[in-house]
Every structure is written in structure tokens, then in C-alpha cells.
Amino acid sequence: LPAHLPAIVGRCLAKEPGQRYESTRDLARDLKDLLGPGSGPATRPSGSVSERRWAGWSGKRLPAVAAAAAVLVAGTAGGMWYSRPSTTSAARAEAPLLAVLPFRSLSGTVDQDAFADGMTDEIRGQLGKLSGLRLLSRNAIGASADVSLARLSAEHGVGSVVEGRVRRDGNRVRIAVELVSASNQQTLWSDQYDRMLDDVFAVQSDVAVRVAEALQARISPEERARVDKRPTTNVEAYGLYLESQSGHSSYRPDSNLKAIGLLKRAIELDPAFALARAQLAYRTFFLASGGDRATAEEGLRLAREAVHTDPLLAEAHFALASSLDQVGQVAQARTSYLRALELAPSKSSAIANLSILEANSGHYDEALRWARRGFAINGKGGNDYYHLLLPYLQLADAVSVRGALELAVRRFPDVPRLQIMYAAHEHQQGDTPAALARIRRLSERFPQNPEVTIALSDLAYVTRTPDAERMTEALMRGGADRVPGGWFVTESMRTRFAYLLQQRGDATRARDLLAQSERAADKLPDDHPAHTIERAAVYALQGKRERAIALIERLTAPIDVVVILDRNPTFASIRSDARFQSMLTRVRRELDAQRARAAEGGLLDLTRLIGAY
């Protein structure tokens, strides 16, 4: 074998994620280097017999070895999903689409309703572990069991539906389950389980297996083992877990704190209850969404504990990915999202978050690939259109983008972020006055919406409107350290306000603010382009031209090119530098390459997903 091939394979299999290849494109380059500038004997110099023998062998056999190595690596840690469409992903697109409707409680009490909700979620979770099925998300179905099967079939392409009824009497549980064809409402499979409460996990596992068998979906031995594994042996701990999941919104801090208290009690009863640990970590992640770094670090610690408790639990890896993303460890977050999706291929929240992560990293073709996959199993609502069109905005031609945006805002006129995206498209096409007018109208309709307020401030800053300073200062005081990376401007509010102060001659206040921004920027991770831009913005305004340019030259991902190039006033002092322009040329080439890949993979044709536009 080639001398360096074991090193390449060893890097693919490294235990620490940071020691592996960042993407399969990097792997491809190493394999090509292994082949050399040519791959035939004519490229080898004359030499010993062994050298000549190697030259002949390499020309005939090394491409096959390299291909085999690439396939081996693609099969580990979801690399094939990240790089290229594969036969596996293509096959998954044709897998049966299944919906699990909310199970009905026949007991009629609040706690029994919560138990029925928990059963629904757990059976949905078990089915979500199977790669032979696609699972419609809970958001697409809603909270009511009274859902039109014909609508699920027509609007979402659902082939079959799982329905159930639950009655609990003390420690006895009776569960009736049916698998029904969505198109003709014929029963494909049904069963009734009369069990003790501590045997309810076996029911959940059996339902998942029987449904898969009825739909002729293959279950691998690894999937079967994960489905059969009990989340806990403690019935009381499980009851507390179900209570924490029912009616306690993660988005409302008071409700979230109540759920966290229930989960902590469950973990005290069973420290090995990894699912409860994963939910505790994820809810802590939500608590940190206001920018509390200490809480974010606590969420990260809890997520790592959950993964350590059960390395094969998708929810634990999802919580870890969310926390890693929150603290700016983007590469590690990507790896954890991919691992979560290996273990639960239909986990729509992981698909959506990974799509956003790739878009924020400037990997728009990969973001679009994941967004398309999520769109097919979600409710095709306004937020789903947002995830789909976010990368599409950067890759498709202007006519196609405008058509898709008009369709989205027509279907969902009350979703502000779609209008913000439309304004971003207008700004990108050079019609900034139209974009500003659109956002001002939106602000009148949604005066309390923070996304709208920030978008309006961004455009006011870019166009230097009279109210730009007032809006920027208000947002700075409300959250100066928010992560940079908006629709129209990338740097933080503090840095923008410093620029505005500079422009009106208040150099002392501007200098103090930039010193604060520099200290904050130095704490940001190095692997996110938006963070690099934040540092460069600070240095540009401080007059540290060489430091700003050195950071700009590091940019490779096509993020916010139009903003930096044409309209963001922060970079006016360095925009004419040849090195700045060289970076823009390099980044444009990468964006063109992404467009070509997306077109080649059929990602830019949205008609099958959203219809004609």
C-alpha cells in the first residue's frame, strides 16, 4: 500500500473529532495528492525494480484503493451526508413517510393526558431511530388527534398513520394502537397491550418494530438494539420525565424552570437516566439563549454528561450540538448534529439547526441540502420556508429567488422573517430603498418583534438615516454582546455605534467602545467567519489597517460578500486595498463552485417541494 494511506485512514478514524478531516473535500485532496500529478507509470522516474513495479501497480490499482478508502470514510460519522448526495440519502428520500398522531387519553384527567402525550412522544422517538422510515414532525401534525388523514396524504405525502388510545388505572396500562393507510383509511396493523406500568417501555419498542415490519422497512441490528433499550428502570423517574415534557414550554423561562426542577428530581432517582439528562441539558441551553455565558457553559457540561451516560442516545448528541453551537464551537457542533442524525435520521430539529449552522458558516449548498430534507418532513409552514430559502437566496438566480419569496410571503403574510428575507434580496440586488421601505412597513405591523427591530436598525445604519444612531444605541444597550451576523450588517451593535460616534466627531466615546469591542472579540472562537469579520471591523475602525486586512485575508467561506463589498460603511477605509479585493474574488469563486454543485445535485429546483412559482 502507499506509505501515506495508513495515515489518511488513521486520521479518518481518530477518536478526537478535531483530529479528523473537517470535510470529505479535504480527504479528497489528500487522496489525489497520494496519486501524484499523474497516475500512470510514465510519470515515475526510472529506478530500481521495486520502484518500477510500484509505478506500474499504482497506475492500475491505486485509484481503486483510494476509492475504497473514500467509501470507508464516507460511512463513518455521516461524512457522506456532509459532502455529496449518496445512494443512502437518495434511498432515504423514497422511504415511507409516516405520521404519529397524538394518542387519546381515555382516563380524562390532566395527569393521564400527560401520560398519553408522553406515550405519543416516546413511540414517535422510537420510530425516529429507524433509517428505513421517514417521520413527519410533531409540528406538522399539531396537538390534536383530530387530523384529516386525507390532508396529511395530499399536503405532506404521508403514506400511513399511527393512532392510539391509552387508559391508565393505577399501575396498569391499556394501549390500543393502529397503523392506518392515509389514502384509504384501511387498517394495516393493530394490536392492544394490557401491561403493568413498568412494562410500558416494551410496548413502545414493540410498536416501533411492528409498524416497521408492516411497512416492510428494514431494521438493522444496531437500530433494533437502540429501540429495545429501556430509558430507565425507575417508574417514578419516568413519570417525572413525562410530566416535565407535557405543557412546559422551553421558550418561557418560568415554565422551563419548572421542567428543569422535575428533570433534576428524575435524575436523583435514576442517575443513569440519560434521556432526562439530555432534556435537562437542552432546557439549560434555552435558559442561556439570552446571552448568559455561565449558563451556556453549564448546559454544555450537562450535555457532555448525557452523552457519557449513553453515547447512543440521539437526544444527548443533539443537546451537545446545540450547546456547542451556542458557545461558538462550530466544527464540533456540526459533528454532534451529524451523530444525532445517524442515531435518529428523522430528528427534524437537528436537521433544521444543522442547515442554519451551515448557512451561517457560508456552506450554502450543504445548508440547502439539509433544508430540503427537513422541509419534506416538517409542516411546510412559514418557518420551514425560511430555512429552505435562507441558502437558496445565495445560490439561485434572482428571478427564481424572487418567485419563491413572493410565493412564501403570499402563503404566510404574518411571518416577519420571510419579509425580512425579501428585503435582504432587494438589498442584494441593489434596491436598498425598497428594502428599507419594506422593513419600515413591517416594523409598523410588528413593533415588538426583535428580528424586525434589528433588521430595521441594520438598514438604517447602512443608509445612514437620521434615526440610525438612536436605534443602534438602543439595541446596543439592550444586548451589545450579541453574536454578530445579521441580514444586512455583520458586526455587533457596539462596534456600529462606535463608527457612528466617530462620524459625528465623538472620538473619545468611540475609542472606549472599540476597546470594549476588541476585548469581547478576542474571546470569540476563530472558526466562524462572522466572528472574524467582527474582529476585522474593530481593527478597521481603530485604524489598525494591517491587522484588519490580515483577518480579512483569512475569509474563505462566501458569507456576507455583498454586504462587505458594496454597502457596509464600517469597512470603507480598507475596501480599496488589493488584498481585500483579492479575498472577495476568492470568495466569489467559492460561491460559484457551490452554485455549480447545487445545480448538479438538483438542489435548486424547488417545484417538487413547494410547487410552481
Side-chain angles (χ1 to χ4, degrees), residues 400-422:
S400 298
V401 169
R402 186 172 292 268
L405 284 168
E406 287 177 350
L407 177 68
V409 299
R410 186 167 64 247
R411 289 181 178 175
F412 303 98
D414 296 325
V415 178
R417 54 175 46 179
L418 292 175
Q419 293 283 358
I420 295 172
M421 188 182 295
Y422 205 134

Side-chain angles (χ1 to χ4, degrees), residues 76-103:
T76 64
M80 59 187 174
W81 288 345
Y82 179 74
S83 177
R84 296 280 185 201
S86 67
T87 54
T88 301
S89 59
R92 275 193 48 75
E94 301 301 322
L97 184 59
L98 178 70
V100 180
L101 300 189
F103 280 28

Side-chain angles (χ1 to χ4, degrees), residues 499 536-537 539-545 548-549 568-577 580:
Y499 167 81
Y539 297 146
L541 295 181
Q542 288 175 328
K544 300 174 181 177
R545 183 185 182 90
I549 291 293
N568 190 343
T570 307
F571 294 95
S573 64
I574 62 172
R575 187 175 292 121
S576 61
D577 191 285
F580 191 102

Side-chain angles (χ1 to χ4, degrees), residues 297 300 304 324-334 525 527:
E297 294 290 349
L300 182 57
R304 285 182 169 136
L324 288 166
D325 198 2
Q326 189 174 52
V327 300
Q329 298 183 36
V330 178
Q332 297 92 328
R334 177 186 292 112
D527 61 350

Side-chain angles (χ1 to χ4, degrees), residues 180-259:
V180 181
S181 169
S183 59
N184 58 27
Q185 300 188 30
Q186 289 185 350
T187 299
L188 305 175
W189 165 81
S190 66
D191 207 341
Q192 182 166 297
Y193 301 85
D194 197 350
R195 303 288 179 87
M196 297 300 292
L197 187 59
D198 59 0
D199 201 27
V200 73
F201 304 122
V203 174
Q204 297 166 358
S205 301
D206 190 64
V207 168
V209 171
R210 299 285 293 278
V211 166
E213 290 174 346
L215 296 175
Q216 299 182 335
R218 178 183 175 274
I219 305 177
S220 72
E222 294 82 6
E223 290 172 339
R224 181 62 187 259
R226 294 200 298 272
V227 167
D228 286 343
K229 185 174 182 178
R230 295 189 171 205
T232 179
T233 57
N234 189 302
V235 174
E236 185 180 353
Y238 185 64
L240 290 167
Y241 167 78
L242 292 181
E243 187 180 349
S244 76
Q245 297 301 99
S246 179
H248 293 291
S249 171
S250 300
Y251 296 96
R252 297 200 313 270
D254 56 340
S255 180
N256 196 21
L257 285 170
K258 290 178 182 177

